[in-house]
Amino acid sequence: MQSPIYVTKPMLPSPEAFHRELSSIWESHALTNGGQKHEKLEEKLKAYLKAPYLSLFNNGTIALLAAIKALELSGEVITTPFTFPATAHVLAWAGLKPIFCDIDPVTMNIDPKMIVNKITAKTSGILGVHVYGTPCAVIEIDAIAKDYGLKVIYDAAHAFGVELEGKGIGSFGDATMFSFHATKLFHTAEGGAIVCRDSQIKARIDLMKNFGIVNEEEVVFPGINGKLNEIQAALGLANLDILDKEREERQKLHVLYCEELDGIPGLILPEMTPTHTQSLQYFPLRIQGNLFGMDRNRVHDLLKERNIFTRKYFFPLCSDYPCYREENGDLLPIARQVVQEVLCIPFYGTLGMDVAKMIAQIIRSFSQRGTP
Ligand SMILES: *Cc1c(COP(=O)(O)O)cnc(C)c1O
């Protein structure tokens, strides 16, 4: 490739459309603390995500931290090792101990069959991640939570717009976090949200993100600054207008990649299932080296030599970070296997069908080469 191709490229509205959104901010001089743009974006996202209640945040990590605090989790929280560092780190920041549980070999999400073994007297919650937008086993997790009196929080940073049996993905569990970071499908440069099903929890979360300030003379608990500002909200509003177009383009790319990469031994493509809709945030391949003829790391390196930058999301496992390694006696065999296989390839609306086809053909050519 002439110029480098990265795994993603954030969508952006035209400068004119962004300026139109900004102009009323220049009139009002209201820059943050729940201004008009913020309120409008909150309403629009609530509808888009079919969310019962939604609170905007300055980023997904702080959103998750605020939800964990608002739900008063304590002691140990069972989570997945196969995720972005933020998922485990927020538990540590909240003074909780992440307990890593192995994943399902097909969905790559926390395996409900393994959760029960991890429950102790100190367990207060389950933190699942809808990895690559595939929903966790929400029914099974809900049943376990009911049996043991646990709270359930989901990290839906990859699952913007996903619906499971017609319901917004945020309708499951006690709270669900979305990230609007620039690398996600929908973004506000930096941003995030918590969706929940209970108006009282929403009220607590809103207090949590504004220092616990109830009014000029009352501060009720140690909250944090989690507010999304008006400039971010303006970008979000302008991006919402072009979101469906972005999704259409990605849908076409998804189909093209699936056609071009179909039937290659040792190459597992993201599965389309009838029960839930796709987030179209990533296009994750799984490369089984012994069958494909080359391992994932080699594919990554050879693509890089051709100026194509893929990502080994989520290598290494959180349970292998030095800060969590000691606490984790479990070898987590499935996660350990999966993390050697995954590779996210370039996937974004403006990539272009020709370029995508070329990338697919290069990957296909590796498969016939055998072990180098
Ligand atoms: C991006 C991401 C986050 C963090 O979101 P920020 O908005 O960047 O703070 C958390 N969890 C997962 C799985 C992510 O991909």
Side-chain angles (χ1 to χ4, degrees), residues 19-33:
H19 274 128
R20 274 198 299 280
E21 282 295 342
L22 289 176
S23 59
S24 64
I25 299 176
W26 261 248
E27 284 158 26
S28 68
H29 285 241
L31 296 180
T32 187
N33 286 9

Side-chain angles (χ1 to χ4, degrees), residues 71 86 89 98 106 117 123 144 150 193 200 228 238 292 367 372:
L71 290 168
H89 287 350
V106 175
N117 300 332
T123 309
I144 296 168
L150 307 177
Q200 280 174 319
L228 184 96
F292 185 73
S367 72

